[in-house]
Amino acid sequence: PTHRGHGQGLAFGADPNKFLAEIIGQETGLCKGRVGSMHFFDKENNNLGAQGILGAQFPIALGEGKAIKNKKTDSCVLCFFGDGTSNQGTFYESLNIASLWGLPIFYVCINNLYGMGTHYDDTSKVSVGEKAESFGLKVKVVDGNDIEEVYKNSVELISHVKKNSEPALIECKTYRWMGHSAFDNRPYSPKEEVKKWKEQDPIKRYKAKLLKDGISKDEIKKREDAVEKVMAEAADFALKSDYPEFDDSLIQ
C-alpha cells in the first residue's frame, strides 16, 4: 500500500477494530500499537506493509514478485503509488527489472494530479502510463472515480499479469479535494477545478447509478448504516483498548 493506504488495507480485509486501534497506538492494534498509521502491515491478509518513504514500495514489490515467480504460485503483487511517486528513481528501476525479469506485479497509480502542492504537469512531460509503456508494460488509463471501470480493468490486467508472468499498470485519474495535510488550505488549486472534481464524487455517482439500475434508496441506506455501525464499533473498540505496556527489553 501507499503511506496513506488505510483504504487499501481495509479493502484487502484488515480488521477495522485492529486498524483503528493501531492508528491510536493500542496494544490490540494490527501491529500491537507499535507502528501507528503510516507503517501498518497485516500478515494475515498478505499486506506487506505501508512505507513512510516515498517509493520504498517498488523494491519491496520486486522482491515479492521474484519470490512468486520462483515458487510458481498463482498470485501477483499489487503495488500502489501516487502520481508524485512516479518521479522517484525507484519507480523506473522497478519497472525496468519487473519487465526484464517478467515479474507478476500489478502497479496501481492513484493519480490525484498533485504531489504536495505541485501539479503533475509541472513535474513531468509524460504521463505515468506513458512511462510504464516505455518499459513494455500493458497499461490502462481509467476514470478513477468510476468504481466499476476501475474494477473491470483491474480484473483484466491482473489476469494478464498472472497468465503471462509480466507486469502491468493501471493509472486511475482522480482528485484530492482537501489539502495534503492539516496545514494545507490548497491555495495552489483553482476553485473551478475543485468544483469540477467534486461534481464527480465517486460515491454520489455510484449511488446515482445504483438507483438507475433499480436498487432502492432503502437498500442503499441499509448498506450505509451497516458501514457506519462497523466503524462506530471499531472506534469504541480502539478507545477502550489499552496502550502497550513499556518493555525495556525492546530498546536494549
Side-chain angles (χ1 to χ4, degrees):
T2 66
H3 61 294
R4 289 186 174 85
H6 302 144
Q8 295 146 31
L10 290 170
F12 272 78
D15 183 334
N17 291 6
K18 293 180 179 180
F19 214 141
L20 284 187
E22 184 61 39
I23 288 173
I24 63 172
Q26 309 290 54
E27 180 71 37
T28 54
L30 283 172
C31 306
K32 298 187 181 298
R34 265 68 174 185
V35 304
S37 176
M38 198 178 286
H39 300 94
F40 70 89
F41 72 94
D42 183 11
K43 183 177 180 181
E44 184 179 338
N45 290 293
N46 290 332
N47 187 325
L48 297 178
Q51 304 294 321
I53 301 172
L54 288 175
Q57 63 267 52
F58 298 127
I60 293 172
L62 282 179
E64 186 64 17
K66 187 67 168 68
I68 289 173
K69 183 158 187 172
N70 288 351
K71 294 179 179 179
K72 299 179 180 179
T73 60
D74 182 31
S75 56
C76 70
V77 185
L78 267 67
C79 182
F80 293 87
F81 64 101
D83 49 286
T85 310
S86 74
N87 291 318
Q88 293 281 351
T90 49
F91 177 63
Y92 299 97
E93 294 165 0
S94 178
L95 293 185
N96 182 49
I97 293 297
S99 179
L100 188 65
W101 291 357
L103 301 183
I105 303 174
F106 180 41
Y107 294 95
V108 183
C109 177
I110 304 163
N111 185 348
N112 61 24
L113 301 186
Y114 288 90
M116 293 290 285
T118 305
H119 196 285
Y120 180 81
D121 291 347
D122 294 326
T123 68
S124 178
K125 287 289 187 181
V126 296
S127 70
V128 177
E130 288 173 318
K131 292 174 182 178
E133 286 176 335
S134 70
F135 287 94
L137 274 69
K138 184 173 182 178
V139 172
K140 295 277 189 179
V141 180
V142 303
D143 179 353
N145 287 2
D146 184 334
I147 187 172
E148 290 190 354
E149 184 178 346
V150 173
Y151 179 79
K152 179 183 70 174
N153 284 282
S154 295
V155 168
E156 179 186 329
L157 287 173
I158 288 172
S159 176
H160 173 84
V161 168
K162 289 183 176 183
K163 180 180 178 181
N164 299 285
S165 187
E166 63 180 37
L169 179 144
I170 189 169
E171 181 180 357
C172 303
K173 295 292 186 73
T174 185
Y175 197 72
R176 170 166 55 81
W177 297 356
M178 303 175 70
H180 188 82
S181 69
F183 307 100
D184 178 2
N185 61 5
R186 291 198 72 121
Y188 45 82
S189 53
K191 291 181 179 179
E192 297 78 15
E193 182 181 81
V194 176
K195 181 176 181 293
K196 184 193 83 169
W197 278 97
K198 282 191 173 184
E199 291 170 354
Q200 299 180 47
D201 180 338
I203 297 176
K204 288 182 179 178
R205 281 174 62 185
Y206 199 59
K207 283 171 70 173
K209 183 183 185 303
L210 291 175
L211 290 168
K212 185 178 178 181
D213 291 345
I215 305 298
S216 70
K217 289 184 178 180
D218 288 343
E219 179 61 24
I220 294 173
K221 181 67 164 54
K222 186 169 74 173
R223 299 298 180 93
E224 291 176 331
D225 289 346
V227 172
E228 291 288 347
K229 184 173 183 291
V230 167
M231 296 314 299
E233 290 175 350
D236 186 61
F237 172 84
L239 291 169
K240 290 180 177 177
S241 297
D242 295 326
Y243 287 110
E245 290 188 15
F246 178 72
D247 182 355
D248 58 7
S249 67
L250 296 175
I251 59 174
Q252 292 178 0

